Amino acid sequence: MINIEGLSFDYGHNEILKDISVDIKQGQLYALFGPNGSGKTTLLKCIAGLLKYKRGTIMLMNRDIKALGPKKLSKYISYVPQEHRVSFPFTVEEVVLMGRTPHIGHFSGPSRDDVNYTEDAMERIGIQSIANRPYTELSGGQRQLVLLARAFAQDTPIIVLDEPTTALDFQNQINVWRILKSLIKYNKTVITCTHDPNHVSWFCDSVIVLNNGYIVETGPARNVMNNKMLNSLYSDICYVILHRDMTIVLPNI
């Protein structure tokens, strides 16, 4: 679905991504994993078309994303930021309906199909009960679910998320990850940044590990998330155990 070849990105003299090459397959949940400053968010934003890179290519379904305008790209990729605040008290339903913007003509309003997509997205994400509440009055966890529903309503084959659970409590973290995992059954490709090795091990199909702007390892999460890889990133601060066929990362205390 996505083929990246020789991608590099810099802010002036500060090179963030260095010769990134990787294939991302359809219908999987991918994690971009690595320490702070490793290039995860920059790579995610390049994939989403939010950053303009000078070297390398990103091919989306065999088409260079640079050749796709923002409106066309938004029919392929939906983006969920870490945090999203609005000053006007739109209702939850109105925010989710905004996901249909790429499909609405310049001089027309939402169609019945757009409303149906919105209602279906809220039901699938489980927020229909708060549809009429002002988005500005929601908790951080609820806002994140609304943004997920907006991305689902956008009806793109690819959803990218920048650390979607960073500010959430444990219950909401697990809830969001379960929803991300459930999107795979709709043949969505989900790509998300995360710092938590357990979230990668528990929920993700594949992982792309970055450090200092390079890809250091990529493959099925169950194979990549091991002691050797984690020690290469974090020295000996943690270790991996296998419990009931589940990989768990524990700290060295």
Side-chain angles (χ1 to χ4, degrees):
M1 176 160 279
I2 300 174
N3 172 259
I4 303 173
E5 288 288 344
L7 178 68
S8 297
F9 183 88
D10 62 77
Y11 293 103
H13 297 294
N14 185 19
E15 192 171 28
I16 306 299
L17 299 177
K18 305 165 186 177
D19 195 26
I20 299 292
S21 295
V22 69
D23 289 331
I24 295 174
K25 299 176 183 178
Q26 185 176 1
Q28 291 193 23
L29 173 52
Y30 278 82
L32 303 182
F33 176 74
N36 287 335
S38 59
K40 301 186 301 296
T41 294
T42 299
L43 177 56
L44 192 80
K45 288 184 175 181
C46 285
I47 293 171
L50 300 175
L51 292 175
K52 304 301 180 184
Y53 51 91
K54 297 177 182 177
R55 298 186 297 269
T57 59
I58 300 178
M59 303 298 291
L60 171 61
M61 299 177 179
N62 298 316
R63 302 183 66 182
D64 192 330
I65 67 166
K66 285 186 174 180
L68 300 173
K71 186 174 180 66
K72 183 163 287 188
L73 188 60
S74 67
K75 292 184 179 180
Y76 290 101
I77 299 176
S78 54
Y79 173 71
V80 179
Q82 271 193 54
E83 180 65 20
H84 177 258
R85 295 184 180 276
V86 295
S87 55
F88 189 83
F90 294 105
T91 67
V92 166
E93 185 173 15
E94 288 170 334
V95 173
V96 177
L97 182 60
M98 291 176 190
R100 299 299 301 162
T101 300
H103 307 277
I104 298 173
H106 292 297
F107 303 106
S108 60
S111 67
R112 182 67 245 178
D113 279 348
D114 295 318
V115 174
N116 289 340
Y117 269 104
T118 298
E119 292 174 350
D120 181 60
M122 290 191 296
E123 182 177 353
R124 291 188 189 278
I125 304 301
I127 58 169
Q128 62 270 45
S129 64
I130 59 171
N132 295 316
R133 287 187 57 186
Y135 179 80
T136 51
E137 296 180 5
L138 301 181
S139 68
Q142 289 172 319
R143 287 199 303 270
Q144 202 64 35
L145 294 179
V146 174
L147 296 180
L148 277 174
R150 185 182 68 174
F152 194 85
Q154 196 171 328
D155 192 31
T156 58
I158 302 165
I159 301 174
V160 299
L161 308 97
D162 187 7
E163 299 185 26
T165 61
T166 295
L168 306 185
D169 62 34
F170 184 70
Q171 181 177 3
N172 279 310
Q173 287 180 25
I174 299 303
N175 189 28
V176 167
W177 277 106
R178 283 175 172 168
I179 290 171
L180 295 181
K181 187 69 173 177
S182 74
L183 296 179
I184 302 307
K185 67 184 177 183
Y186 303 108
N187 209 27
K188 303 290 186 182
T189 300
V190 181
I191 311 167
T192 180
C193 296
T194 181
H195 289 106
D196 193 319
N198 280 317
H199 290 165
V200 179
S201 298
W202 299 344
F203 297 102
C204 295
D205 302 301
S206 297
V207 59
I208 300 168
V209 183
L210 295 105
N211 195 24
N212 295 321
Y214 294 99
I215 290 181
V216 296
E217 198 161 352
T218 184
R222 64 181 179 273
N223 297 336
V224 173
M225 302 303 289
N226 54 50
N227 283 310
K228 181 180 178 181
M229 187 279 293
L230 290 169
N231 286 340
S232 73
L233 294 182
Y234 304 117
S235 187
D236 60 351
I237 67 168
C238 60
Y239 63 98
V240 175
I241 65 170
L242 187 65
H243 179 68
R244 295 181 180 176
D245 295 324
M246 178 180 289
T247 299
I248 301 175
V249 181
L250 297 174
N252 274 322
I253 299 176

